[in-house]
Amino acid sequence: MQIVSTIEELSQTDAQGAGGGEVLVPTMGAMHPGHADLIRLARERAGASGKVVVSIFVNPSQFNESTDFEHYPRDLDADCDFCQRLGVDIVFAPPPDVVYPPDEEVPVGELPAVATEPGLEDAYRPGHFAGVCRVVRRLFLLIKPEAAVFGEKDWQQLRVVGAMTDAEGLGVEIVPCPTAREPDGLAMSSRNRLLNTEARAAAAAIPQALEAANACPTAVAAQVAMLGVLARAGIEAEYAAIRDAETLDEVQPDAPCRALIAARVGGVRLIDNGPWAAALLAGD
Ligand code: AMP
């Protein structure tokens, strides 16, 4: 496995860029089994001849709170060992001035509607998707992968990256990876390690709320049910919503829907989502 941190080093790796069959897994490190699922999927997609490239970069431009950025867990040595064990070919772990050279403008491009309209992550983390689009676009242009794997755990991000890639014709296939969960259902996240014992126990109410939503026949009832489950665990949600799975606009009849939750638990912001099928059953 090659570990590189500059553009020059990257260009000297076995990665061949456009047409070379690279599959990129963009991460912010602090690896957990959810990242392992992404890497395995990338390996499958890359086949025997393509390379799996994992980028590890805690992207300052996507944090809207400086304390969140400062406290974000970082452990590059452990992350590289993790990647090595999973058969990753190249780890690209650049410092901020390689991604954002002081003398070079790194453009964001035009943000797709799903990055600005839904009133979900876009409303609660202003500037977040501009930062995500900036860094993903930059990584795509530097690495020129054939495909890139993103987790369904960050559903709005997955839709935003897909819409941006389509709109700009970046020519990268976006491969979604299902959410990896702890035995009690909590979605795995680098942020889970910031939870104290009490908050960790309460956080299990988030997947329970998603499950409760699925037992409800209408979007309104599902929202009430989610808020109820969260409140009983002492969790106040930022949002608990049922939306069109693609656009994240209001629910459309006969279109796939998604239940999405964001909440602060013991001071740690957690997000999760799952398919919501009730609308299809009840014609909501
Ligand atoms: P992060 O390092 O948290 O920025 O995440 C890097 C990638 O891993 C993103 O595409 C996330 O959506 C994905 N990811 C994070 N948590 C999970 C999880 N529990 N299951 C699957 N993918 C995940």
Side-chain angles (χ1 to χ4, degrees), residues 26-29 32 34-35 38 72 150-151 153-154 157 178-180 187-188:
T27 80
M28 298 202 299
H32 54 68
H35 293 113
L38 270 74
Y72 199 83
F150 287 84
K153 151 91 170 29
D154 298 278
Q157 169 175 281
T179 301
M188 289 181 179

Side-chain angles (χ1 to χ4, degrees), residues 6-260:
T6 66
I7 295 169
E8 294 72 46
E9 286 173 343
L10 184 65
S11 66
Q12 286 158 16
T13 62
D14 305 336
Q16 287 155 34
E22 280 77 39
V23 180
L24 172 65
V25 181
T27 80
M28 298 202 299
M31 303 295 195
H32 54 68
H35 293 113
D37 286 355
L38 270 74
I39 291 169
R40 282 190 213 101
L41 196 54
R43 178 83 273 158
E44 255 173 55
R45 176 63 184 73
S49 57
K51 305 282 179 212
V52 173
V53 183
V54 172
S55 62
I56 301 177
F57 179 61
V58 184
N59 174 32
S61 79
Q62 73 185 66
F63 284 83
N64 50 324
E65 291 171 19
S66 59
T67 50
D68 190 21
F69 175 66
E70 283 153 21
H71 292 147
Y72 199 83
R74 293 165 171 88
D75 191 345
L76 184 60
D77 289 345
D79 288 343
C80 288
D81 288 348
F82 181 96
C83 289
Q84 174 113 48
R85 284 197 299 276
L86 287 161
V88 169
D89 297 296
I90 296 158
V91 168
F92 179 46
D97 63 352
V98 166
V99 179
Y100 303 119
D103 53 355
E104 198 183 316
E105 175 66 16
V106 177
V108 187
E110 195 179 330
L111 291 182
V114 68
T116 56
E117 299 292 322
L120 302 173
E121 292 301 286
D122 49 304
Y124 286 90
R125 302 190 69 187
H128 171 66
F129 287 127
V132 168
C133 286
R134 177 177 271 126
V135 76
V136 169
R137 200 169 176 278
R138 175 82 168 149
L139 290 170
F140 283 4
L141 295 175
L142 289 175
I143 297 166
K144 301 182 187 66
E146 190 172 286
V149 185
F150 287 84
E152 291 182 352
K153 151 91 170 29
D154 298 278
W155 187 263
Q156 193 174 359
Q157 169 175 281
L158 176 66
R159 310 276 35 134
V160 166
V161 168
M164 174 190 77
T165 305
D166 281 353
E168 296 201 28
L170 297 177
V172 179
E173 180 197 345
I174 305 301
V175 180
C177 180
T179 301
R181 297 181 178 279
E182 300 287 353
D184 66 354
L186 180 66
M188 289 181 179
S189 165
S190 308
R191 288 196 162 87
N192 291 354
R193 57 179 87 172
L194 304 174
L195 295 166
N196 64 27
T197 312
E198 197 186 336
R200 172 63 190 82
I206 296 176
Q208 287 161 9
L210 295 172
E211 210 177 303
N214 264 322
C216 298
T218 68
V220 172
Q223 189 185 23
V224 171
M226 288 192 285
L227 292 173
V229 172
L230 294 171
R232 282 193 288 285
I235 298 173
E236 198 180 329
E238 286 185 349
Y239 59 79
I242 305 291
R243 296 295 178 88
D244 180 275
E246 180 82 23
T247 63
L248 297 185
D249 285 340
E250 296 306 321
V251 168
Q252 300 297 320
D254 299 328
C257 297
R258 207 84 193 164
L260 304 110

